[in-house]
Amino acid sequence: MYDHDADTPQWAPDEWVWAGVSGWLNICDGKITVDTSTVRHVAYWSGVKVDRSRVVKYTGARVSYTKIPYERYNGDTGEAFALIPHFYKH
């Protein structure tokens, strides 16, 4: 299983954003690929404003990713982003 996640800096105990994506690996003939039917996206946040309609969960031919645009209560904006490439060479 390959797992990757991205954490934004935590500004206060109740202000954080987390994005994650993971999937099962297939290893054959020296190549490692991600089984796209097993890709899972995870998005969590606390203490920030997030427009759920702008949370992107994408599974494509070469990559899968989760992107969460957010706005802190002080007005600062940012993105939490997690990526899993589908193709690797051993």
Side-chain angles (χ1 to χ4, degrees):
M1 180 93 163
Y2 179 88
D3 222 345
H4 182 75
D5 61 70
D7 290 304
T8 66
Q10 183 170 310
W11 309 283
D14 62 345
E15 275 193 348
W16 52 269
V17 182
W18 186 85
V21 60
S22 63
W24 289 101
L25 294 180
N26 293 319
I27 302 172
C28 182
D29 295 331
K31 291 184 179 180
I32 302 172
T33 61
V34 177
D35 182 349
T36 56
S37 65
T38 66
V39 171
R40 294 183 304 111
H41 299 268
V42 183
Y44 296 112
W45 55 87
S46 176
V48 298
K49 299 174 190 174
V50 174
D51 178 352
R52 290 178 186 272
S53 69
R54 294 182 59 220
V55 174
V56 180
K57 297 180 178 182
Y58 176 77
T59 302
R62 296 196 174 271
V63 298
S64 291
Y65 63 83
T66 303
K67 182 168 62 172
I68 312 171
Y70 63 86
E71 180 182 350
R72 292 183 61 194
Y73 289 124
N74 69 4
D76 292 346
T77 59
E79 280 184 350
F81 182 80
L83 169 72
I84 179 171
H86 290 183
F87 300 100
Y88 297 86
K89 289 188 177 177
H90 194 33

